[in-house]
Amino acid sequence: MTRTPWRTAVVYEVYVRSFADSDGNGEGDLQGIRSRLPYLRDLGVDALWLTPFYTSPLADGGYDVADYRDVDPRFGTLADFDALVADAHAHGLRLIVDIVPNHSSDRHRWFQDALASPPGSPERDRYIFRPGRPGETPGEVDPPNDWPSAFGGPAWTRVPDGEWYLHLYAAEQPDFNWRNPEVRAEFEDILRFWLDRGVDGFRIDVAAGLVKDASLGDLNGRGRRVANGPIYSRPEVHEIYRRWRRILDEYDGDRMAIGEVWTDGPEDLALYLRPDELHQVFQFDLQLAPWSAPAFRDVIEAALKAVAPTGAAPTWVLSSHDSVRHLTRYERPGGVPGMEYARAKAALLMLLALPGSAYLYQGEELGLPEVRDLPDDARQDPIWKRSGGGQPGRDGCRVPLPWSGTSEPYGFSPDGVRPWLPIPAGWASLTAEAQADEPSSMLAFYRRALAQRRDLLDELPEELEWLDSPETAVFFTRGPLTCAVNCGENPVRLPPGRPLLTTMPMYGDLLPGNAAAWLH
Ligand code: NOJ
């Protein structure tokens, strides 16, 4: 088992478009990130993951890439990127970038060439084009199979000459044909392009989806994500990551790859973590779990079990740019006001005490809630658009960060500029500036917890031991550190130890409801 700093790293997800806008176009950019590196260093994270900043029409927030080797002008230039890498490293921060290999943008030159070329041409073979099949009524044509798009509607769109192309996501995101060697060679070259520029690794988008079953057979009622089904986690996908691992290993330093892998079963997750494949995969278990001690114990146990045979480090996530912010998930209708803040602090102590690597999502350190009341005309998520407004989509967790001041743009953009998504009135107390010197703030708590974790890290074994606890609590130890989380409403007796960090004042040896403590 290789031990690299990634095994215990705290990685901060930067949703580039919403982080910091330096040039006043209302969207975040690379220079904006650069200007905030001291904030990230002081927060105490080890690495940054940047969501896609490549040339893109932003049909899916940049997960629709038109040129994999350039920066979209609204986010900056390649020179800005180089400067950002250098500065991040100078601040002691590693930097990983998102790679989007399952699909490109429909504006990508290859897709434009495919559209301009006839069925059966080599240009079409870089994507997945097929004839339709006869529909039920004579003369009607149906898509080539029954696959749904993850964003709603069918996964196929018909082009004027009658062929259909596959898109597991939006129609603007045609899927590549990974059985075509040209596609493989292209992505290996793209990896090298960014590795040569100094990135420390990659977050692989839709990592399980690259190779589809050659026959493109129907799902016939099976779930989209069924392992070894026609779409995700086909055995052929692993060949690709073995190749990529060899490329990463050619470079100096600890270059890494983490896969975004959604699977039905944990056994399947482990396949990606074989020693010659990916270093990590996201384990979304905590993100999906409700605020409940039995649920937390179960998902932690299962997540640890899933990676144990591989020797890879587990990973933990509470929020991302794809999910409702956990602060809001932890609200309880009719609960005490502010309960969700208490819970979010407690969840952080649990997250950071677990063995392995933690992924934080920008804004959680400010205690940002999901913004549920965005005006319809501001929403941009293809989920919102493809569902005809039926589903809110993910814009509510992508609202730009409030940095300072008392009204929009809250220091996100230069004064007078309207951010790409409106920032709610009433966020004045949530700005980084307002929280920086306020000891009871979420930001101050994140800083303390991250600093404490760093101090302890060398003493912590990778194994976790469960301690007996009341049903409503989660107690575990890692060597000298005990973590106690009370998910119930009533106080519980703390396990033994000297309190190092608590989410609220303790009363003697009682841990209040919705609170957590680290004990030494
Ligand atoms: C996962 C990304 O995190 C999400 O934002 C995106 O929409 C899909 N993959 C498609 O690329």
Side-chain angles (χ1 to χ4, degrees):
M1 173 192 342
T2 39
R3 282 184 193 277
T4 75
W6 294 106
R7 290 188 73 81
T8 56
V10 177
V11 184
Y12 181 99
E13 178 188 353
V14 176
Y15 192 74
V16 176
R17 200 180 181 191
S18 300
F19 188 72
D21 169 22
S22 73
D23 61 3
N25 65 355
E27 296 179 283
D29 47 54
L30 300 179
Q31 287 292 0
I33 303 170
R34 232 181 125 197
S35 72
R36 299 291 179 178
L37 288 171
Y39 168 85
L40 295 165
R41 178 201 53 210
D42 296 347
L43 179 61
V45 299
D46 302 301
L48 310 180
W49 147 32
L50 303 192
T51 56
F53 47 81
Y54 316 108
T55 315
S56 166
L58 302 193
D60 181 20
Y63 285 93
D64 49 318
V65 180
D67 182 347
Y68 288 86
R69 296 183 187 77
D70 207 351
V71 176
D72 194 280
R74 68 185 106 195
F75 301 133
T77 62
L78 277 173
D80 293 340
F81 182 81
D82 293 340
L84 174 59
V85 174
D87 277 11
H89 288 163
H91 282 78
L93 296 163
R94 291 166 197 268
L95 193 124
I96 66 180
V97 297
D98 225 305
I99 179 110
V100 190
N102 180 69
H103 44 262
S104 70
S105 159
D106 61 346
R107 314 304 306 173
H108 191 285
R109 192 178 48 83
W110 276 8
F111 193 71
Q112 291 295 312
D113 289 350
L115 290 180
S117 304
S121 58
E123 288 81 1
R124 288 226 169 159
D125 190 54
R126 293 168 177 151
Y127 294 89
I128 303 180
F129 280 85
R130 291 289 183 281
R133 46 185 184 181
E136 270 178 14
T137 31
E140 201 185 75
V141 188
D142 280 348
N145 68 25
D146 66 359
W147 298 358
S149 147
F151 293 161
W156 297 90
T157 290
R158 199 174 182 191
V159 300
D161 61 37
E163 279 210 315
W164 301 67
Y165 67 89
L166 177 71
H167 51 87
L168 292 183
Y169 297 87
E172 296 87 348
Q173 294 168 293
D175 278 46
F176 281 116
N177 170 19
W178 274 86
R179 296 180 184 275
N180 181 330
E182 227 188 319
V183 171
R184 294 183 182 230
E186 175 70 357
F187 272 90
E188 291 177 12
D189 194 68
I190 293 165
L191 292 182
R192 290 183 196 282
F193 179 86
W194 294 103
L195 288 166
D196 289 338
R197 300 196 102 87
V199 305
D200 297 289
F202 301 95
R203 177 265 188 191
I204 307 168
D205 189 60
V206 193
L210 274 41
V211 191
K212 282 80 179 171
D213 177 26
S215 72
L216 299 179
D218 280 333
L219 276 168
N220 281 326
R222 286 175 295 168
R224 249 186 333 118
R225 282 189 192 139
V226 60
N228 211 357
I231 307 185
Y232 291 107
S233 282
R234 307 251 345 133
E236 299 94 317
V237 82
H238 296 286
E239 250 170 67
I240 298 169
Y241 299 131
R242 281 194 277 270
R243 241 337 271 156
W244 287 20
R245 178 60 176 261
R246 286 207 292 277
I247 294 174
L248 289 167
D249 287 348
E250 281 170 28
Y251 284 79
D252 60 353
D254 297 302
R255 316 280 180 129
M256 69 87 86
I258 174 165
E260 186 215 14
V261 177
W262 292 90
T263 54
D264 285 351
E267 308 76 31
D268 203 49
L269 212 57
L271 296 177
Y272 293 86
L273 297 172
R274 287 175 287 195
D276 59 346
E277 294 195 36
L278 306 181
H279 299 74
Q280 295 181 341
V281 291
F282 282 103
Q283 295 180 275
F284 295 109
D285 313 77
L286 286 179
Q287 182 174 312
L288 299 172
W291 178 259
S292 141
F296 285 148
R297 285 194 302 263
D298 284 356
V299 300
I300 293 169
E301 185 72 20
L304 291 172
K305 224 169 115 191
V307 299
T310 69
T315 65
W316 311 100
V317 196
L318 290 169
S319 281
S320 76
H321 67 288
D322 287 331
S323 66
V324 172
R325 283 190 177 274
H326 65 272
L327 187 94
T328 299
R329 291 203 319 270
Y330 292 158
E331 271 171 8
R332 212 193 59 191
V336 191
M339 178 193 277
E340 64 276 18
Y341 288 91
R343 289 179 169 183
K345 285 182 177 174
L348 180 71
L349 287 197
M350 181 169 74
L351 181 89
L352 294 182
L354 290 168
S357 184
Y359 284 75
L360 308 181
Y361 175 50
Q362 72 177 38
E364 65 173 81
E365 79 280 16
L366 301 176
L368 297 189
E370 183 81 3
V371 180
R372 299 231 193 240
D373 56 356
L374 285 170
D376 288 356
D377 59 1
R379 291 190 188 271
Q380 306 218 0
D381 189 345
I383 295 183
W384 161 261
K385 293 184 181 162
R386 285 181 70 90
S387 68
Q391 287 187 49
R394 302 160 293 178
D395 293 313
C397 65
R398 299 174 176 178
V399 168
L401 288 194
W403 288 99
S404 58
T406 53
S407 60
E408 210 178 53
Y410 292 104
F412 168 75
S413 292
D415 277 346
V417 172
R418 290 185 66 184
W420 72 279
L421 281 176
I423 311 181
W427 274 20
S429 62
L430 294 177
T431 65
E433 183 186 57
Q435 297 191 43
D437 301 319
E438 171 50 54
S440 67
S441 70
M442 189 65 90
L443 178 58
F445 187 74
Y446 265 71
R447 286 183 180 159
R448 279 202 296 279
L450 286 161
Q452 184 72 261
R453 180 182 187 269
R454 221 176 238 190
D455 283 352
L456 284 170
L457 210 53
D458 285 346
E459 297 175 50
L460 301 183
E462 289 200 329
E463 291 68 38
L464 164 158
E465 260 180 67
W466 295 105
L467 298 181
D468 283 343
S469 68
E471 183 58 15
T472 59
V474 180
F475 291 176
F476 61 86
T477 64
R478 287 176 61 208
L481 175 70
T482 295
C483 177
V485 186
N486 182 2
C487 298
E489 302 303 316
N490 300 320
V492 299
R493 205 160 296 286
L494 280 167
R498 171 176 59 85
L500 284 175
L501 185 60
T502 61
T503 58
M504 54 172 86
M506 303 287 122
Y507 299 99
D509 64 351
L510 288 184
L511 175 64
N514 298 307
W518 282 354
L519 307 154
H520 199 267

